Structures are given as C-alpha cells and as structure tokens.
Amino acid sequence: MMQLGMRGCLKPAAILLISTLALGACSGGSSGSGSGGSPAKGGLRLAMVTDVGGLGDKSFNDSAYAGLKKAKADLGADIEVLESKSAADYQPNLTVLADGGYDDIFAIGFLMNKDLAQVAKNHPQGHFAIVDAVVDLPNVTSITFREQDASFLAGALAARVSKTKMIGFLGGLDIPLLRKFEAGFSAGAHQVDPSVKVEVKYVGSFEDVASGKELASVLLNDHVDVIYVAAGKSGLGAIGAIRDTPNVYAIGVDSDQDDLAKGKILTSVLKRVDVAVFHVAQDAKNKKKPSGHLELGLKDDGVGLTEFQYTRAIIGAKTIAEVGRLRQAIIAGKITPPQTREELQNYKPVKL
Amino acid sequence: MIRALGVALALAAIAALAMIVAGANPIVGFFALFRGALGGPNQIAETLVQTTSLLFPSLAVAFAFRAGLFNIGAEGQLIIGGLVAGLIGARLNVPGALAIPVILVAGAFGGALWGSTAGVLRARFGGNEVIATLMLNIVAALLANYLVVGPLHSPGATGAETAQLPESSWLPTLLADTRLTIALPIAILLAFALRFVFDRTIFGYELRAAGDAPEAARRAGINLARTAFVAMALSGAMAGLGGATIVTGVLHRFNVALSPGYGFIAIAVALVGDLDPLRIIVAAFAFGILQSGSLTMQAYAHVPKDVVTFVEGLAIVALAARRFVAERAKTSPA
Amino acid sequence: MRAVQGVDLDVFPGEIHALCGENGAGKTTLASIAAGKLKASGGTVIARGVVGLVHQHFELVDRLRVWENVVLGHEPQRGATLDREAARERVNRLSKEYGLAVDPDAVIETLPVGIAQRVELLRELARDPAVLILDEPTAVLAPVEIDALFATVRALAARGTAVLIITHKLQEVVSHTSRITVMRAGKVVARLATADTNVDAIARAMVGGELPELAARRETIPAPVFSMHEISAGESSLAVRSAALEVRGGEIVGIAGVEGNGQSALADAIAGVLPYTGSMELDGTPIPPGNPGARIAQGIRAIPQDRRREALVLPWSVIDNITLGDQRRPSLRKGGTLDRPAARELARTIVERFDVRTPSLNASVSALSGGNQQKVVVGRALAHNPRLLLAYQPTRGIDVGAAALVQSRLIEARNAGVAVLLISFELDEVLALSDRVIVMYRGAIVGTFERDAIDRARIGALMAGAGLAGVAS
C-alpha cells in the first residue's frame, strides 16, 4: 500500500519538475541577463557580501548597495550582491566572488574582518574592501568613518537644545566602533556647555526593540531630554518612547531617520557607506587601486548631519550657525574630536 | 529510497518555480547550484563543511525522535554548545592537544544542559517538549547575545562574538586551505555509534520502545520520564557538539549568527534519512549541497538566498506534517 | 484481499435475523455495506425504506445532549434556526413509543453504556427504519440490560421492522432470533433456522470444524501467592474501591463484571502502572508501589487489555516483542548489549509452543492476526516462570482456535502452580476457567463464589447491581 503510494507520487513530481524547467527555459532568456550575470567585456565588475542582516536592513547593507547601484548607473559597472545566512557563509561567499574575478569585492561589516583577511591572502591577485574594520593587507582597502566628528556636532546640538542640561547616549553594543559615537558626542556637548551632563547607556543588542524602549524611558525619567540613539533596530524602540513624550528629542543615526518621528528627531548622524563604496568604485574604474586605509570624515561627506527639515524652529538659527562653525573647525583641523573614552578623558574644549 | 527521490523531485520542482517567480532561470540556477557545491575540490570541501554542520543536529533530532520526542530545539542546543565552546576556548590555557577535546566536551555538555532542560520539563511536569524546545531556542539566542556582549565579553572581540580562539585549539583540517576538519569523521563516527546503540544495546532498545509504543514500554518497566530526560540530554549533547565544531573548526570564534538554522534544517534531514543514522549521513550531504550551492546560485544565477531557505522550510513542513499524520494513524484505532 | 465476497442475505419484515461469525469473518463490513456506509465493489443492496445501524462502538457526540444527538443531521428548523422545543418533543415521543426511557437533556458522556446504547437506538428509530441492524449490541451490557434490549427488539419486529443482529454470543442467538446466517472468511457458510439448530452446531459452522478442546484441569494444592488489601485506585466511575482479594498458586480467580466497573483500575494497580492506596503482597513480602519493572522481576506478569497499545510494539519484530519487559534479564543480555542469539532462541521456543503463525521471527507483529499477536503476548508472559499472571480479556477479539489455545495455556499455568487472576467481560469464559469467581460492580467486590457453588443467575444479578440494594451472598 505504502510502496504503491510512493511510486505514485514519483511520476507527478517528475512531470512537475520537467514542466517548470521548461517554463523556466522559455522565460529565462529575459531574466538571465537582467542584472548582468554575464561578465561585461572589459567593463568594471563590482560585488559585495552582506552580513547576516542582509539587504533590506535600512542600514549599512542597504547603504552599501546604494553605492553599488550608483556605480552601476554612473560608471556602467556590473554589480553583484551575495547575502549571508550565517557567520559561516562569509568566507565561502567572499571566495566565490574572488574566484569570479571581480575588480573589487566589498565586505560589509567589521564582523567579516577575519574571513576577509583569509580570503584576501588566498587571492593575492584580487582586490577587496571592508567597511568599519581595518585589514592590513596590500590588496585590501579598509574603509572607516570619522563617526566621532559628526557625533561631536550632534553633541553640541543636543547640549544647546536641552533645557534640563541632561542629555543621553543610547548605544547598541559596547564595542570600540560605538565608543567613537559616544566619545565624539560627549566632547561636542562639553565643547559648547561644560555644565551639561551626558548619561551613557548600552542596550546590549542591535535587535532588541523592547529593551531599547525601556532604556530610553529610564533616561527620560532621569530628566534627560535629548537622546542620541545609536542602536540599530533597538533604537526604533527608543525613538518610539521619545515620540510619545512631550518636550524630549532624539538624534538618529546611520541613515536619515528624521521621518520616523517628524519634529522629534533633531537630526540624523549620517554615515555614508554608499559614498565610500562609490569612492572606491571610482578608483577602481580609474585603475587606481588604493590599498590601505580610507578614512572618511566631514570633509568628504562620508559623515554628516541631515538638514533639520522638521526641527529648524526648535533648534534655532543661532545654534544651527554654531554647529556650522564647529563643522568648519573640524574640517580645518582646529578641533580633533576624541574617538575613545581615554581620549575623551583628556579632551579639553577648544577655544575658537 | 523511492520516497526520498520523490520528495527530492517535488522539492526541485518547487524550487524551480520559486526561481522563476524570483526572476531567475532555473536551469542556470541548478547548474550553478551543482557547480558551486561540487565543481572542484574546494567546493566539495565546503559542501562537506555544511554536511558536517548539519549532521550533528540531524543525528540529535533523530535520536530524540526515536525516543518519541520531537526536538525542535536542536538550534538552541547548537547555539549553547557553540557558546560554551567559544567562551571556554577563548579563555582556555592548556596545550592544543588537550584543548580541543576539552572544548568539544564542554560544547556537548552545554547542549546537553539545554536539551535536558526541556527533558526535565517533560519528565517532571509533563510539559510538551515541542513547545519547550521551541521556546528554548529563543532563550538560547538571547542568552548567547547577552553573555558575549555583556558579562562574559572577551577583550578584543568585535560585535556579538567572542575573541578568536588560539590557533592551537582549531580543529585540524583534512584538506589544506579549506575549512574541512576532522569534525566530519567525528560526525560520521557518531552516526555509526548511534546505529550500534539503537540496534545492539539495551539502552537503545528501551529508547526505541519508549518512542514506538510508550504505553507498552511503560508496562514493560521502562521509566518513560527518565528515558525522556536522558534522550533529550544526549540529543542536546549532539547538537551542542555540532555547535562546538563550528566554533573550533569553521569560525574559530563564537558568533551569535553561527547557524543559518542548522537545527531546523536538521528536522528535514532526519526525516528524509528516515531517522536511520547512516541514511542521515546521505541526507545531510544532499542538504549540504543545497546549503553550499545556494551561495553560488546567488552569484551566478541571481537566485536569492531566500529561495533555498524557502525550499528547506517547505521540506521541513511537508516532512514533519507527513510524520505527524503517520503517527496519528498509528496510534488511533484501526 | 476482500473482507466480504459474494454474499447474499435476505432479512424479512418482522423477522429477527442473526448474523454470526468469528472476528474478521466480515460481519461488520457487510453491515456497513447494507447501511450504505461502505461502498461495495460489486453487487446490489435493496431495502424497502431506510436502513438503520446501531454500532458496536457508539457513534454519539459525547459532549452533546441526548436530544441533540438524536436529531443530529435532520434537525427540525424554525426559519434558519434550530427548533429546540420540537426536537425535544420528538425525542420524548419516540422514547414513549418504543419504551426506551431516557432523559432528553442528559449529556451523553454522563450516561451509563446501557443508556447510551438506547440513545443510539433512538437516533436510528427517529429515521423510521424499515431495516435495523444491531452490531454486537450486548457486548457492553449486563444480563438484565440484555433482556431489556431484546424486549425492545421483539416489539420492533412485531411492528414489521426487519432486524439483523450481529453477535458472537450464541446463547442469545438461540434464544431470540428466528433465522441465522453464519459467515466465515468473508463468505456465507451456513443458513440455519433457529428452531432446527443448537449452540454447538452454530459454533462448528463458524469455526469450520470441530471445536478445539480445553486442557484438562488437574488437581492442585493451592498455596498462598498473592494478596491485596484495601486497594483503591483510579477515578470516579471507573475506580476500584477498597478491594481485597487473594490469588493462590494453582488456582484461577476470575473477576466477573460488566465492562467499566473498576476492573481496569484494579488490573493497572496490580501491574504497578496506576497509583493506589492499600497494600499488596507476593509470597509474603510487600510489593513496593508504582514500579512495573520491579514487579516483572518479581514474577508478576500481565496480559494487558489492549494488546496493540499496551503489550506490543507493533512495528517491531516478533523477537524484539518477545523480549520486551525482559530486556534486562541476565539470560537475555550480554553486559549492556542485547543477546540476540538468546532472544532468537526464546522467540523460537515460544512461537513453537504457542503455535504462533508468523512468516518469520523477524516479521513485524503488526503483520500478524489478532490471535497470533495475543499468543505472542501470552507466551511472553509465561516464558519466565511467573508467580502471578494477570490476564485481562485474554481472548477478546481473537478467533475460536486461538482463544482455546490461550485458555488452555492459562489452565496449564494454573496446573503448574501459577496464580492466575482472570478478568473477563464474557461471563461464560469466567465460569468455564475459574476456581473461584469474584463479582465486581461499581469498583467494589460484591460477591465470591467457589467453583463448586457457582450460581449463574445470582452472579448475573450481582453484575447488574443487585448486591448494592439487597444482601450480598
């Protein structure tokens, strides 16, 4: 009986498979070359590997992809994206692309640094780039950002807007990368008003919306009235808590978050992974392979603040002008915002 | 075997449909899949790495299943096993020859602890192991994240992961410049050991009795509560050992994203392998091809990784449902 | 294989017709075809009106009330809604008309089986059937309830209904029917007029030959083996309450009673799978509670009531089933591993001695007939010189030949000094095998009869509850 049933299901399964393959063969002609599967002759070929967040994270994976798309539009590049299902996929994904002979392969995220180093060593003829980490190899471009510079401006802004003179920093993970945000923010606040107190908290995760909301509430209860939220998805919870409380404000991070709660998000600290990716792509196009370290700051528009679209009135023209002066001072090298807690300890506000 | 072939063909057909929906050419897709998985020694090595990572939790699921327990928690047990291995491995200060067994045993122990938690819930309070293990998966992921980021943060670690393990405690590779390690022969050895346990030992006999006819087993003097506890603990140990081999053999650190869902795919692998440890080796290899080939499929056929995830999910649902129906038919009066 | 093949059967208006045959002869299949619940692959069914079928296992919705069950499927409607009053009224009218007293508002699961059967009967009668088929209607009834049922059936026949009764209780056939059709292996093998036949002739037709004889009872000198005191176990209506009894080596003690009067709780308490209060002793030493494995090691073996669920691992081989419960016995193990050759040898011996018909020792027991499965269970229970054998419905649902073999083995075990406790709902079986008969009613022991003082009528009355109202003997 059972045997019969199984034999019975074999035939329809086979027929189904063959017919779908046939269907695919008919329709495949148009879709196969859609995004450029076959290598363009002599053209620029770029690829990236996402971390497990994947495309659609509204954060640096998406931002990097935007840079690639710009390279495709402006430079006529062939582009390819591989998403990773687990940390174990980073290395094989990078290897597949390295074997595919791309001009540049972007590893998006510091978590890939060890895997990238391994693959780059095995493929000395290939060229790679990594975001947010430094891999010291001749065929790797390390892309980092001066997050502390933009955070410094955010700190100054927060200190000026705060009525309670209590401002907060809410980070995702307590790791060196996030401490750049933290240190710059604190220094910026003290630059304009040494009496302002900065409360620092970390959620312990970039994914925990509930805890983000809870910690924001804790800060608000302590009379903090501006919070710099650098906590990925966890930050969305914090922004929710701020939206529901009058007279308190958030500062967003990574991408333009001003729309998430119009009028409640003073500004967003932008980290333009797309700009960086496009920058490296341009170099590749011009056959310039900048090995080594590419650190983007305010000057290159690698980091920056959004345009106060909904909050101009709340902040006031005077403060906006002051932030503009600080920006110029940083670009001019008169101010060097700290990027670690140690540097913050030793940081003294600069007389301008 | 005919059934397995039927299942494979049906899934392939659905995968082909999914590729068309996703705008890819299925013929190119399948070609890329096999080229990526079996196209050369490095590709085969990577497929075997995936096979190994799947084999441990699959044997874990099968072991529990033979004892009548639906362990959906292999994923959580694998994560905890990896976590313990990573935490200990990054701190351990003993010679390599000793470090590796210590780390592996610690990982297995961690998984056992996690599995037996569900076992205790079932044995003492009659709790449903399906729900318990499912919930414990979530707890495992959160706990791992909390520990590596918070109280047990390793100096030098970036993100939600431990520091790198010293090179001396990496599993020896079988093939230079690949991630294929002695974890594979360990997993295969485990499969043969399980086959022996099931077929030859009194313990395995009692375990199968508890799984195949719990009421008859109880009346034959087999302590069902204890069997459930031991089965869940050992099942957890196997999944945990799997996690430890990923840490010591593949990533050389613990990362909260160490598994793309091996513990869930394992359910499909165990069922395709008919819960027989040796056939599960073959099934794990087949799914290993999918896992490693899917990366190339993305690259050369523009098939989103979600197509493979979708097909695997479908396989789990279809096979688990089929099993449930079969169980029902078996227990209900004719 | 066909369950029923080329069967012709006529039942006339006003007639009570018996359909007899062993388990698996095809009776129930034939009834289902007649009632239109199964499709025959060939042949025709002609009925002058509706065919009603009262099932062996009631097909009632336990959570619904009596009137809801009776009108289910043809509910009286008022507009789009159910007309409850009309429905209740219809049930009351039917109940009076056929003399089947029942409370229309009672919930089925609260009713005793005898009353639940009336509801099933009422439901079929509500459709005014020209033909009424009753499948094993007396299996769960006490003797008094059986008499009441047949009174109703005779009244129906008198009104012109054609009645077909499927039963294996031949005494009822002879007492209440007019014609008999006997089936064997899916075919009709005899058509008899009740007036011209007797129980033995019907039985021979069912079996297709002479009836197997039981083993002879030998004189034994009973010695104390098992005793229990003040045993209470189980829940509500199925519980056993403060029961005390003794089974000596070399005797069979039979428990008579209608199903659902605490026998199951009693058996499970003795087997150690149901918690109980009170004490038990084996060979003068107390038995610790709640450990079935220890009891097996002490020599308490059981033939459970549901062999497919409680005794066997169906997908397993004959060999593996024969060692179940004894897997840790030193003679069947080598350290922590199974001693396969020893198990095979044991299985071979049992298969031979109990005449188990199996394609091979490695065949799955699910492939065996019920009778052969039961032989495996009984053989296993007797394989290691038990002290006490607990036999619960040991011949339920198995063919006459297998039943005779099982019964003979029980007698032989008794002759060899084993203490045998027999629980059966077949009074004839209890009376035929027992040295002492104990009657259970609502969880209590209400009467004890030595073999030479058995009073069938008195036992029947006690089974129906007479012991509670009057004075127990």
Side-chain angles (χ1 to χ4, degrees), chain C residues 299 301-303 381-382 386-391 410 413 418-422:
Chain C
R301 300 307 295 252
I303 301 167
L382 289 171
R387 299 294 296 141
L388 172 70
L389 177 67
L390 180 61
L410 295 186
V418 177
V420 180
L421 181 60
L422 168 70

Side-chain angles (χ1 to χ4, degrees), chain B residues 196 198-203 205-206 208-209 212-213 215-222 226 330-331 334, chain C residues 268 273 292-293 296 304 308-313 316 320 323-325 327-328 333 335-338 340:
Chain B
F196 178 80
F198 286 143
D199 287 358
R200 293 286 155 148
T201 67
I202 293 168
F203 171 65
Y205 176 94
E206 295 190 343
R208 287 188 290 122
D212 289 341
E215 191 53 36
R218 187 167 79 102
R219 286 167 184 271
I222 295 166
R226 200 180 56 203
K330 202 168 71 187
T331 50
Chain C
D268 287 352
V273 293
I296 289 174
R308 294 167 58 86
R309 203 174 70 85
E310 296 172 346
L312 296 170
V313 185
W316 285 15
D320 281 353
T323 54
L324 187 65
Q327 67 273 10
R328 288 173 183 271
R333 69 190 287 182
T337 59
L338 306 164
R340 293 264 174 204

Side-chain angles (χ1 to χ4, degrees), chain B residues 155-205:
Chain B
T158 51
E161 57 182 27
T162 64
Q164 193 159 37
L165 271 56
E167 205 156 331
S168 59
S169 51
W170 296 3
L171 288 183
T173 54
L174 296 179
L175 198 61
D177 288 328
T178 68
R179 307 196 287 180
L180 181 60
T181 65
I182 58 162
L184 178 65
I186 293 175
I188 290 174
L189 216 61
L190 178 64
F192 277 91
L194 287 188
R195 177 69 176 259
F196 178 80
V197 167
F198 286 143
D199 287 358
R200 293 286 155 148
T201 67
I202 293 168
F203 171 65
Y205 176 94

Side-chain angles (χ1 to χ4, degrees), chain B residues 12-290:
Chain B
I14 292 163
L17 266 176
M19 286 184 219
I20 293 170
V21 170
N25 182 331
I27 294 173
V28 176
F30 284 123
F31 184 72
L33 176 80
F34 285 106
R35 196 178 67 164
L38 306 167
N42 288 326
Q43 283 77 3
I44 292 174
E46 194 52 44
T47 297
L48 290 175
V49 170
Q50 296 289 341
T51 303
T52 310
S53 298
L54 277 171
L55 193 46
F56 284 105
S58 301
L59 292 172
V61 169
F63 187 79
F65 226 137
R66 292 293 282 265
L69 299 160
F70 203 172
N71 179 11
I72 301 193
E75 181 75 3
Q77 292 142 18
L78 182 142
I79 288 174
I80 294 294
L83 174 72
V84 173
L87 290 175
I88 289 182
R91 286 169 172 74
L92 199 64
N93 206 358
V94 296
L98 206 61
I100 289 172
V102 168
I103 293 170
L104 293 184
V105 168
F109 192 78
L113 191 76
W114 214 245
S116 59
T117 307
V120 168
L121 289 176
R122 159 118 177 184
R124 283 213 83 86
F125 309 109
N128 184 318
E129 80 280 0
V130 175
I131 294 175
T133 53
L134 194 62
M135 293 298 160
L136 282 169
N137 283 335
I138 300 166
V139 180
L142 292 175
L143 179 73
N145 192 59
Y146 169 73
L147 287 180
V148 295
V149 166
L152 295 176
H153 184 73
S154 322
T158 51
E161 57 182 27
T162 64
Q164 193 159 37
L165 271 56
E167 205 156 331
S168 59
S169 51
W170 296 3
L171 288 183
T173 54
L174 296 179
L175 198 61
D177 288 328
T178 68
R179 307 196 287 180
L180 181 60
T181 65
I182 58 162
L184 178 65
I186 293 175
I188 290 174
L189 216 61
L190 178 64
F192 277 91
L194 287 188
R195 177 69 176 259
F196 178 80
V197 167
F198 286 143
D199 287 358
R200 293 286 155 148
T201 67
I202 293 168
F203 171 65
Y205 176 94
E206 295 190 343
L207 201 80
R208 287 188 290 122
D212 289 341
E215 191 53 36
R218 187 167 79 102
R219 286 167 184 271
I222 295 166
N223 185 332
L224 295 182
R226 200 180 56 203
T227 308
F229 175 81
V230 173
M232 281 307 294
L234 287 177
S235 175
M238 292 172 216
L241 180 60
T245 64
I246 294 174
V247 166
T248 53
V250 180
L251 295 179
H252 304 135
R253 65 186 187 273
F254 171 79
N255 180 302
V256 290
L258 87 165
S259 163
Y262 290 129
F264 297 116
I265 304 166
I267 298 166
V269 177
L271 293 177
V272 168
D274 247 346
L275 306 184
D276 174 70
L278 302 191
R279 272 187 276 171
I280 285 173
I281 299 175
V282 180
F285 182 65
F287 277 80
I289 290 175
L290 270 188

